[in-house]
Amino acid sequence: MIRIAFEKSSTAIYMSHLDLMRCMTRALTRAEIPAKYTEGFNPHLYLVFAAPLALGITGEREYFEIKLTEDMAPEQIRQRLNATLPRGLKILDVFEAENDFNEIESADYRVFIEGKTAEDWNRFFSAPTIPTEKKTKRGMETVDLKAEIISCRAEDTENGVVLSLHLPCGNRKNLSPLLVVKTFAPNEETYYTAARCAFFDQKGKRF
Amino acid sequence: MELERLLLRVKNPAWYSGGELNSITKDKNRVKTRFAFCFPDLYDVAMSHLGIKILYDILNRRDDVWCERVFAPAPDMEGLMREKNIPLFGLESRDPIKDFDFIGFTLQYELSYTNVLNMLDLAGLPVLAAERTDDMPVVIAGGPCTVNPEPMADFIDLFNIGEGEETLLQLVDLWQECGGNKREFLEKADRLESCYVPAIHDRKVKVRRRIVKDLDRAPYPEKLIVPNAKAIHDRISMEIMRGCIRGCRFCQAGMIYRPFRQKSPERMMENIQKLCQSTGYEEISLTSLSSSDYEQLPRFADLLLDYCTPRKINLALPSLRIDNFSEELLKKLRAVRSSGLTFAPEAGTQRLRDAINKNITEEDIFESCRIAFQGGNTAVKLYFMIGLPTETDEDILGIADLAQRIVDYYYQLKTKKNGKGVSVTISLSTFVPKPFTPFQWEPQIGLDEIHRRQQLLKNAITSKKIRLNYHEGKTSVLEGIFSRGDRRLGKLLLTAWKKGCILDAWDEHFRYDLWMEAMTECSIKAEDYAGRRYAYDEELPWDVVDCGVSKAFLIRESKLAYENKTSPNCKEKCLGCGVKSICGGDVCDPNCL
């Protein structure tokens, strides 16, 4: 299993997860990487992402995995892909995977929210519970942000607040930083940026 | 930047962000001419269009020209742009297009006309050509609708009629020669064969549609922009030929893209290899008006399959004609992957199929169905039209009857797989009379009559295996008005747009009530345009354009329709349609086919 670390920024942040999968599939084709296809009537490229990244969020170090049908040096894969990716996507490194994406438990996010202060956040976060509506497969559900957020820190900057959020991420439990933003700053005109910085396993070990 | 602040507030930010693979960025200080290529509809539709890709490539091959893409924003984005005073911009540079040299629109369908007005307004320019000053960009238009330029004449400075591969570069050259003097440019451009400057053109001088004689020599892109957000047709389009040897009497494309020209398999394989390498697309669609008329199709299909199969690339082959649909070819295509089958008999009875010169017999239809069913297909989609000249209720009932007999045929064949039922989908559209067709003088049926005939068909279908899809009909009426319209319609467009009519091709945005209001205010009646029989000897709004096909030919064909008589296709016999006058006779000679 070959793991590929990449960055998603600039205009590429407006790609949805599905768009990104299509984009990477085509990039692997263009770069002539000997990537393995699934068997069956409707074969498609074997391609697994660590965790979907919502449209609009920057990914500082995201991952996907492929299987190879013949050997190719990691550095060659990196260079070939980087020569053919659209603006905002960049391969950081390529290596043999030593663990499984299923082990991902949490992720770090950095969120900037314009016009808000650390004090605003601390007041917001000091409430005993912070109920909010979350869209799930079963419909809308009420969740308690306070209980879901693993840890957080707020710092003032010139024109807003920067939140460092540690949130559950992965198959078992997941919380989008955008839900935090929408609950904290519900005005739809509020300008924000969000980035996912790192993934962690259950023991807090960085991916 | 201001734009970034808005993008996360709209539904499809990737439609406005730019940055796609193979989009072209240049240093604006090092180019002489900036061109905004506008497709007046939403991104996912616009990015599916082949013409824009060809012309984007041709313009950008020149170092001194920078062509960018501009599309109609969806209402959510438009609202924010207006609120924040962000003028319409080019996707590549994000610079306002009001500072460009050219703003070029492609007019592909009448229902995009209000979007042109809206885009000019969003750019910060007056929508009326007469109100734009000499320092504002030259607004030009091309595309199939411009064979009747009159309804849009108030808004466009210059129409470029016909295929733009060569003429667009001539216009850029002329613009540079004139040193950007718009008035001088328009005067000189109006004297070019294919150009029409409505403000100054002498209607006695015919504007001649330009064509590219040799498709093998015409430039074809080596790279295509790969959208970040899925386009409707997100794949490689390979144009295999232009023009059509058939002479279906309702079909404008079959007339205005004459003569029939084919590309060589070798040249196309060259194109395809480059495009596959530069895009990574997993599907190739062969585009033409009637793919199965491509003479070297079996050989080309072999070449294609040899290339595509090991690379797991799908082939899509639309516009296959029912009559020469070959069993072997189907098998080959299925070797890669196949979707359901679509045929276009257009009319339900042989009498009417003869009248419209759709040279398809019932045997052809059933033979094609047999091949399809025995090949394992169980879904058949059939295209029909209502409102065709000479149509009677019997013809409409014939559609239901034909569909039913196809269903029955499936069960008779006994090749059906266990548990698999057949599904026949009828896709019904309404006939719209179009300029430069033998039916250009015909009246269109009115809205009530459209509804009555739709209902008649609906009630005649009893099987649950048959599905009927049709459009309500109001948009067809509007198309009917504009396709044969004259310059007075400019006022109607302006009024309707001011009332809020945009994106008329989209059900969720189409506002027939506002169109009705606008028509009342402008004293324009549908019956005077769509619903009227034009006379053979009447001066037609589009008489200023010479498309190649002569009026005498169109009248001959029109009369044959009333005798239910078919005409041979170009391969069988030259009917003297007149297109030789613009192609010099060396292209469409039947011996060359």
Side-chain angles (χ1 to χ4, degrees), chain B residues 199-212:
Chain B
I200 55 173
H201 193 85
D202 173 4
R203 270 188 74 90
K204 288 194 287 282
V205 181
K206 288 253 189 187
V207 182
R208 295 179 97 190
R209 177 173 64 95
R210 270 289 287 268
I211 60 148
V212 171

Side-chain angles (χ1 to χ4, degrees), chain A residues 14-15 26 30 42 114, chain B residues 4-5 228 279 282 337:
Chain A
Y14 305 114
M15 280 187 196
R26 291 170 182 165
R30 291 190 298 269
N42 199 349
E114 194 179 57
Chain B
E4 300 294 341
R5 304 177 66 89
N228 282 350
T279 63
E282 53 296 291
R337 238 186 251 183

Side-chain angles (χ1 to χ4, degrees), chain A residues 11-12 14-15 19 22 25-26 29-30 32 37 41-43 55-56 84-87 114 188-189 191-192, chain B residues 4-5 7-9 13-14 17-19 21 94 226 228-230 234 277-282 312 337:
Chain A
T11 47
Y14 305 114
M15 280 187 196
D19 292 331
R22 249 192 304 266
T25 303
R26 291 170 182 165
T29 306
R30 291 190 298 269
E32 296 178 359
Y37 278 74
F41 186 68
N42 199 349
L55 187 152
T84 185
L85 283 170
R87 187 196 301 161
E114 194 179 57
E188 63 163 24
E189 290 198 26
Y191 177 63
Y192 65 88
Chain B
E4 300 294 341
R5 304 177 66 89
L7 287 180
L8 286 180
R9 293 175 57 192
S17 68
L21 182 81
R94 296 188 178 179
V226 182
N228 282 350
K230 202 178 180 317
D234 208 5
Q277 282 160 7
S278 69
T279 63
Y281 270 129
E282 53 296 291
K312 299 179 180 62
R337 238 186 251 183

Side-chain angles (χ1 to χ4, degrees), chain A residues 55-69:
Chain A
L55 187 152
I57 304 180
T58 298
E60 293 186 351
R61 192 176 171 82
E62 297 287 308
Y63 297 103
F64 69 89
E65 286 177 354
I66 55 170
K67 289 177 182 169
L68 294 181
T69 55

Side-chain angles (χ1 to χ4, degrees), chain B residues 457-527:
Chain B
L457 178 58
K458 201 178 163 190
N459 294 338
I461 294 169
T462 49
S463 167
K464 286 205 170 73
K465 309 283 181 203
I466 304 172
R467 229 180 52 191
L468 174 65
N469 293 333
Y470 57 86
H471 225 235
E472 206 271 334
K474 288 168 181 163
T475 47
S476 303
V477 174
L478 210 60
E479 279 180 82
I481 294 171
F482 282 103
S483 79
R484 297 191 301 167
D486 56 17
R487 209 176 282 199
R488 286 178 297 169
L489 294 184
K491 199 171 100 188
L492 174 61
L493 270 170
L494 189 61
T495 311
W497 166 69
K498 279 184 179 163
K499 286 179 180 292
C501 292
I502 52 159
L503 298 170
D504 298 301
W506 299 82
D507 283 346
E508 62 268 46
H509 302 297
F510 181 58
R511 291 288 304 275
Y512 195 61
D513 55 330
L514 296 181
W515 274 105
M516 287 294 105
E517 273 180 42
M519 281 163 72
T520 311
E521 279 173 37
C522 299
S523 308
I524 283 170
K525 292 195 193 97
E527 304 87 79

